[in-house]
Amino acid sequence: MRSVSRRVLLRGGALGAAVAVTAGCATGQAGRDAGPAAGKPVPPDPETVLLRELIAGKERTVALYASATSERLAPFRERHEAHLAELRRRLPPASAIPSPGPGSSSGAPSPASPSGTPSPTGDAARPPSLRSLRDLERRAAALRVRQVEGASPPLAQLIASIGACEAAHALALSRSL
């Protein structure tokens, strides 16, 4: 039987370790690259999803206030437009939502808003009543409490501020304008 020198044993061990590391790196990289290519889409960032929902809701709210006939409601609409601008600013560039242009129907209120800001039911051609706007603001403010839960601290602070503004709007709309 041949004896194996210590030098041969160490060389063989080092070579084996190098092969294992290289194979592990290749497998790990292939596993990461195979996700989208293998038909497994990368899940969207939860904050980006939340921002999109908030933006869509704010667009509906702004459109609803824009359809109101009273000029006394203009400051409410302007505050919602400021919220919308800040939310859009925080959206990552790759997932930006295009602003609806003039004549676009994407800003029209929908009867049931699955996310963002709830919108009242009713005919979109009629201007909203103060009661429907007040109810919209109350539901939106209540929704913000749940939306803050999973958000990062800076986004949670913005959402809380928006909710406080909506709660103030609901209170102001309860009084006669």
Side-chain angles (χ1 to χ4, degrees):
M1 188 172 218
R2 276 178 53 189
S3 73
V4 179
S5 72
R6 191 169 66 181
R7 183 175 294 177
V8 171
L9 185 62
L10 288 174
R11 201 177 303 152
L15 181 62
V19 168
V21 168
T22 305
C25 290
T27 303
Q29 185 64 32
R32 273 182 258 134
D33 293 342
K40 296 178 184 177
V42 176
D45 175 45
E47 284 220 347
T48 301
V49 171
L50 178 58
L51 280 166
R52 285 176 174 265
E53 291 173 359
L54 289 163
I55 289 168
K58 279 296 173 183
E59 286 173 342
R60 287 187 295 275
T61 301
V62 166
L64 198 58
Y65 272 98
S67 68
T69 56
S70 174
E71 281 300 314
R72 295 174 136 182
L73 296 174
F76 294 86
R77 185 192 73 243
E78 290 167 359
R79 284 187 284 274
H80 284 293
E81 288 171 342
H83 299 159
L84 182 57
E86 182 59 26
L87 290 166
R88 282 184 177 148
R89 188 184 72 74
R90 291 174 186 245
L91 192 65
S95 61
I97 300 171
S99 300
S104 171
S105 63
S106 65
S110 64
S113 172
S115 57
T117 303
S119 55
T121 59
D123 185 12
R126 285 186 298 180
S129 67
L130 284 180
R131 182 178 181 173
S132 67
L133 291 172
R134 181 184 64 235
D135 291 344
L136 170 76
E137 297 284 7
R138 281 185 182 153
R139 287 191 312 267
L143 181 61
R144 302 300 172 238
V145 174
R146 290 190 306 271
Q147 290 172 329
V148 165
E149 289 177 8
S152 66
L155 182 57
Q157 184 177 15
L158 175 62
I159 293 170
S161 296
I162 289 172
C165 186
E166 290 163 338
H169 284 183
L171 183 63
L173 290 170
S174 297
R175 300 179 184 143
S176 62
L177 287 176

Coordinates of all heavy atoms in Angstrom, one line a residue, residues 114-161:
P114 N -60.9 49.7 -3.6 CA -60.3 48.6 -2.8 C -59.2 49.0 -1.9 O -58.9 48.3 -1.0 CB -59.8 47.6 -3.9 CG -59.6 48.5 -5.1 CD -60.6 49.6 -5.0
S115 N -58.6 50.1 -2.2 CA -57.5 50.5 -1.3 C -57.4 52.0 -1.4 O -58.1 52.7 -2.1 CB -56.2 49.9 -1.9 OG -56.1 50.3 -3.2
G116 N -56.5 52.6 -0.6 CA -56.2 54.0 -0.5 C -57.3 54.7 0.2 O -57.5 54.5 1.4
T117 N -58.1 55.5 -0.5 CA -59.2 56.3 0.1 C -60.5 55.8 -0.3 O -60.7 55.7 -1.5 CB -59.0 57.8 -0.3 OG1 -57.7 58.2 0.1 CG2 -60.0 58.6 0.4
P118 N -61.4 55.5 0.6 CA -62.7 55.0 0.2 C -63.4 56.2 -0.5 O -63.2 57.3 -0.2 CB -63.4 54.7 1.5 CG -62.5 55.0 2.6 CD -61.2 55.6 2.0
S119 N -64.3 55.8 -1.4 CA -65.0 56.8 -2.1 C -66.5 56.5 -2.1 O -66.9 55.3 -2.0 CB -64.6 57.0 -3.6 OG -64.6 55.7 -4.2
P120 N -67.3 57.5 -2.0 CA -68.7 57.3 -1.8 C -69.4 56.7 -3.1 O -68.9 56.9 -4.2 CB -69.3 58.7 -1.5 CG -68.3 59.6 -2.1 CD -67.0 58.9 -2.1
T121 N -70.5 56.0 -2.9 CA -71.2 55.6 -4.0 C -72.1 56.7 -4.5 O -72.4 57.6 -3.8 CB -72.1 54.3 -3.6 OG1 -73.0 54.8 -2.6 CG2 -71.3 53.2 -3.2
G122 N -72.5 56.6 -5.8 CA -73.4 57.6 -6.3 C -73.0 57.9 -7.7 O -72.1 57.4 -8.3
D123 N -73.8 58.8 -8.3 CA -73.6 59.2 -9.7 C -72.4 60.2 -9.7 O -72.3 61.2 -9.1 CB -74.9 59.9 -10.1 CG -74.8 60.3 -11.6 OD1 -73.9 59.8 -12.3 OD2 -75.7 61.0 -12.0
A124 N -71.4 59.8 -10.6 CA -70.2 60.6 -10.7 C -70.5 62.0 -11.4 O -69.7 62.9 -11.3 CB -69.2 59.8 -11.5
A125 N -71.6 62.1 -12.1 CA -72.0 63.3 -12.8 C -72.4 64.4 -11.8 O -72.3 65.6 -12.1 CB -73.0 63.1 -13.9
R126 N -73.0 64.0 -10.7 CA -73.5 65.0 -9.7 C -72.4 65.4 -8.8 O -71.5 64.6 -8.4 CB -74.6 64.3 -8.9 CG -75.9 64.2 -9.6 CD -76.9 63.7 -8.6 NE -76.5 62.4 -8.1 CZ -77.2 61.7 -7.2 NH1 -78.3 62.1 -6.7 NH2 -76.7 60.5 -6.8
P127 N -72.4 66.7 -8.4 CA -71.4 67.1 -7.5 C -71.6 66.5 -6.1 O -72.7 66.2 -5.8 CB -71.6 68.7 -7.4 CG -72.8 69.0 -8.1 CD -73.2 67.8 -8.9
P128 N -70.5 66.2 -5.4 CA -70.7 65.5 -4.1 C -71.3 66.4 -3.1 O -71.2 67.6 -3.1 CB -69.2 65.2 -3.7 CG -68.4 66.2 -4.4 CD -69.1 66.5 -5.7
S129 N -72.1 65.8 -2.2 CA -72.7 66.6 -1.1 C -71.6 66.8 0.0 O -70.7 66.0 0.1 CB -73.9 65.9 -0.5 OG -73.5 64.7 0.1
L130 N -71.9 67.7 0.9 CA -71.0 67.9 2.0 C -71.0 66.7 2.9 O -69.9 66.3 3.4 CB -71.4 69.1 2.9 CG -71.1 70.5 2.3 CD1 -71.6 71.6 3.3 CD2 -69.6 70.6 2.1
R131 N -72.1 66.0 3.0 CA -72.2 64.8 3.8 C -71.3 63.7 3.2 O -70.6 63.0 4.0 CB -73.7 64.4 3.9 CG -73.8 63.1 4.8 CD -75.3 62.7 4.9 NE -75.4 61.6 5.8 CZ -76.5 61.1 6.2 NH1 -77.6 61.6 5.8 NH2 -76.5 60.0 6.9
S132 N -71.4 63.5 1.9 CA -70.6 62.5 1.3 C -69.1 62.8 1.4 O -68.3 61.9 1.6 CB -71.0 62.2 -0.2 OG -70.7 63.4 -0.9
L133 N -68.7 64.0 1.3 CA -67.3 64.4 1.5 C -66.9 64.2 2.9 O -65.8 63.7 3.2 CB -67.1 65.9 1.1 CG -67.2 66.2 -0.4 CD1 -67.2 67.7 -0.6 CD2 -66.1 65.5 -1.2
R134 N -67.7 64.5 3.9 CA -67.4 64.3 5.3 C -67.2 62.8 5.6 O -66.3 62.4 6.2 CB -68.5 64.9 6.2 CG -68.3 64.7 7.7 CD -69.4 65.2 8.5 NE -70.6 64.4 8.3 CZ -71.8 64.9 7.9 NH1 -72.0 66.2 7.8 NH2 -72.8 64.1 7.7
D135 N -68.2 62.0 5.1 CA -68.0 60.6 5.3 C -66.8 60.0 4.6 O -66.1 59.1 5.2 CB -69.3 59.9 4.7 CG -70.5 60.2 5.5 OD1 -70.4 60.6 6.7 OD2 -71.6 59.9 5.0
L136 N -66.4 60.5 3.4 CA -65.2 60.1 2.8 C -64.0 60.4 3.6 O -63.1 59.6 3.8 CB -65.1 60.8 1.4 CG -63.8 60.7 0.7 CD1 -63.7 59.3 0.0 CD2 -63.6 61.8 -0.4
E137 N -64.0 61.6 4.2 CA -62.8 62.1 5.0 C -62.7 61.2 6.3 O -61.7 60.8 6.7 CB -63.0 63.5 5.4 CG -62.9 64.5 4.2 CD -61.5 64.7 3.6 OE1 -60.5 64.1 4.0 OE2 -61.4 65.6 2.8
R138 N -63.9 60.9 6.9 CA -63.9 60.1 8.1 C -63.3 58.7 7.8 O -62.5 58.1 8.6 CB -65.3 60.0 8.7 CG -65.7 61.2 9.4 CD -67.1 60.9 10.1 NE -67.5 62.1 10.8 CZ -68.7 62.4 11.0 NH1 -69.7 61.7 10.5 NH2 -69.0 63.5 11.6
R139 N -63.8 58.1 6.7 CA -63.4 56.7 6.4 C -61.9 56.7 6.0 O -61.1 55.8 6.4 CB -64.2 56.1 5.2 CG -65.6 55.7 5.7 CD -66.3 55.0 4.6 NE -66.3 55.5 3.2 CZ -67.2 56.3 2.7 NH1 -68.2 56.7 3.4 NH2 -67.0 56.8 1.5
A140 N -61.5 57.7 5.3 CA -60.0 57.8 4.9 C -59.2 58.0 6.2 O -58.1 57.3 6.3 CB -59.8 59.0 4.0
A141 N -59.6 58.8 7.1 CA -58.8 59.0 8.4 C -58.7 57.7 9.2 O -57.6 57.4 9.7 CB -59.4 60.1 9.2
A142 N -59.8 57.0 9.2 CA -59.8 55.7 9.9 C -58.9 54.7 9.2 O -58.2 53.9 9.9 CB -61.2 55.2 10.0
L143 N -58.9 54.7 7.9 CA -58.0 53.8 7.2 C -56.6 54.0 7.4 O -55.7 53.1 7.4 CB -58.4 53.9 5.7 CG -57.6 53.0 4.7 CD1 -57.9 51.5 5.0 CD2 -58.0 53.3 3.3
R144 N -56.2 55.3 7.6 CA -54.8 55.6 7.8 C -54.2 54.9 9.0 O -53.0 54.6 9.0 CB -54.6 57.1 7.9 CG -55.1 57.9 6.7 CD -54.4 57.6 5.4 NE -55.1 58.3 4.4 CZ -55.7 57.7 3.3 NH1 -55.6 56.4 3.2 NH2 -56.3 58.4 2.4
V145 N -55.0 54.7 10.0 CA -54.5 54.0 11.2 C -53.9 52.6 10.9 O -52.9 52.2 11.4 CB -55.6 54.0 12.3 CG1 -55.1 53.2 13.5 CG2 -56.0 55.4 12.7
R146 N -54.7 51.9 10.1 CA -54.2 50.6 9.7 C -53.0 50.6 8.7 O -52.2 49.8 8.7 CB -55.4 49.8 9.0 CG -56.5 49.5 10.0 CD -57.5 48.5 9.4 NE -58.1 49.0 8.2 CZ -59.2 49.7 8.1 NH1 -59.8 50.1 9.2 NH2 -59.7 50.1 6.9
Q147 N -53.0 51.6 7.9 CA -51.9 51.7 6.9 C -50.6 52.1 7.5 O -49.5 51.7 7.0 CB -52.3 52.8 5.8 CG -53.4 52.3 4.9 CD -53.9 53.4 4.0 OE1 -53.8 54.6 4.3 NE2 -54.3 53.0 2.8
V148 N -50.6 52.7 8.6 CA -49.3 53.1 9.3 C -48.6 51.9 9.9 O -47.4 51.9 9.9 CB -49.7 54.1 10.5 CG1 -48.5 54.2 11.5 CG2 -50.0 55.4 10.0
E149 N -49.3 50.8 10.2 CA -48.7 49.6 10.9 C -47.5 49.1 10.2 O -46.5 48.8 10.8 CB -49.8 48.5 11.0 CG -50.8 48.9 12.0 CD -51.9 47.9 12.1 OE1 -51.8 46.8 11.5 OE2 -52.9 48.1 12.8
G150 N -47.5 48.8 8.9 CA -46.3 48.2 8.3 C -45.4 49.1 7.6 O -44.4 48.7 7.0
A151 N -45.6 50.4 7.7 CA -44.8 51.4 7.0 C -43.5 51.7 7.7 O -43.5 51.6 8.9 CB -45.7 52.6 6.7
S152 N -42.6 52.2 7.0 CA -41.3 52.6 7.6 C -41.6 53.9 8.4 O -42.6 54.6 8.1 CB -40.3 52.9 6.5 OG -40.7 54.0 5.7
P153 N -40.8 54.3 9.3 CA -41.1 55.5 10.1 C -41.3 56.7 9.3 O -42.3 57.5 9.6 CB -39.8 55.6 11.0 CG -39.4 54.2 11.2 CD -39.6 53.5 9.8
P154 N -40.5 57.1 8.3 CA -40.8 58.3 7.5 C -42.2 58.2 6.8 O -43.0 59.2 6.8 CB -39.7 58.4 6.5 CG -38.6 57.6 7.0 CD -39.3 56.5 7.8
L155 N -42.5 57.1 6.2 CA -43.8 57.0 5.5 C -44.9 56.9 6.5 O -46.0 57.5 6.3 CB -43.8 55.7 4.6 CG -45.1 55.5 3.8 CD1 -45.4 56.8 2.9 CD2 -45.0 54.3 3.0
A156 N -44.7 56.3 7.7 CA -45.8 56.2 8.7 C -46.1 57.6 9.2 O -47.3 58.0 9.5 CB -45.3 55.3 9.9
Q157 N -45.1 58.4 9.4 CA -45.3 59.8 9.8 C -46.1 60.6 8.8 O -47.0 61.3 9.1 CB -43.9 60.5 10.0 CG -44.1 61.9 10.6 CD -42.7 62.5 10.9 OE1 -41.7 62.1 10.4 NE2 -42.7 63.6 11.7
L158 N -45.8 60.4 7.5 CA -46.6 61.1 6.5 C -48.0 60.6 6.5 O -49.0 61.4 6.4 CB -45.9 60.9 5.1 CG -46.7 61.4 3.9 CD1 -46.9 63.0 4.0 CD2 -46.0 61.0 2.6
I159 N -48.2 59.3 6.6 CA -49.6 58.8 6.5 C -50.4 59.3 7.8 O -51.5 59.6 7.6 CB -49.5 57.2 6.5 CG1 -48.9 56.7 5.2 CG2 -50.9 56.6 6.7 CD1 -48.6 55.2 5.2
A160 N -49.7 59.3 8.9 CA -50.4 59.8 10.1 C -50.8 61.3 10.0 O -51.8 61.7 10.4 CB -49.5 59.6 11.3
S161 N -49.9 62.1 9.3 CA -50.2 63.5 9.1 C -51.4 63.7 8.1 O -52.2 64.5 8.3 CB -49.0 64.2 8.5 OG -47.9 64.2 9.5

